[in-house]
Amino acid sequence: MSVTKKDVKYVADLARLQPSEEETESLVNDMNQILDYMTTLEELDTSDVEPLEHVIELEYRLRDDKAKEPLSHEDALKNAPDADTDYFRVPRVIE
């Protein structure tokens, strides 16, 4: 399989791009090199390799989920830029 100018122009059109003629030629060359490399990778025997979620081992560091006392109503409204006695005031968004 090889990429042609027509293929590059089609994909560019889908992405609403307008590459120059020089850029199109460069992209044809680059895409064909990528496909050649993929063909090389297909020759590798990966039958004994298990699928991975990640290429490196990740250690999830999540904090313990512990219940704490909630903020008091006054403390929650203390740093509000604009508030009345019970609520935050925000600019109207819907007319």
Side-chain angles (χ1 to χ4, degrees), residues 2-13 21 24-25 28 31:
S2 73
V3 177
T4 63
K5 268 180 149 179
K6 182 180 177 184
D7 297 327
V8 170
K9 287 182 180 184
Y10 176 74
V11 173
D13 187 48
E21 197 63 34
T24 303
E25 287 292 334
V28 167
M31 290 177 150

Side-chain angles (χ1 to χ4, degrees), residues 22-65:
E22 183 179 298
E23 291 170 323
T24 303
E25 287 292 334
S26 177
L27 287 168
V28 167
N29 184 35
D30 292 346
M31 290 177 150
N32 281 321
Q33 285 181 353
I34 291 169
L35 289 176
D36 288 343
Y37 185 69
M38 298 309 285
T39 304
T40 303
L41 288 177
E42 284 178 351
E43 296 172 3
L44 292 173
D45 178 24
T46 58
S47 59
D48 61 341
V49 178
E50 290 184 36
L52 299 173
E53 269 186 358
H54 299 282
V55 292
I56 58 173
E57 286 295 321
L58 296 176
E59 182 181 323
Y60 294 104
R61 297 181 185 169
L62 301 175
R63 64 178 171 81
D64 292 335
D65 190 13

Side-chain angles (χ1 to χ4, degrees), residues 71-84 87-89:
L71 285 176
S72 70
H73 194 73
E74 293 78 27
D75 286 342
L77 292 174
K78 189 179 351 180
N79 291 323
D82 190 16
D84 63 17
Y87 303 103
F88 290 96
R89 282 198 186 129

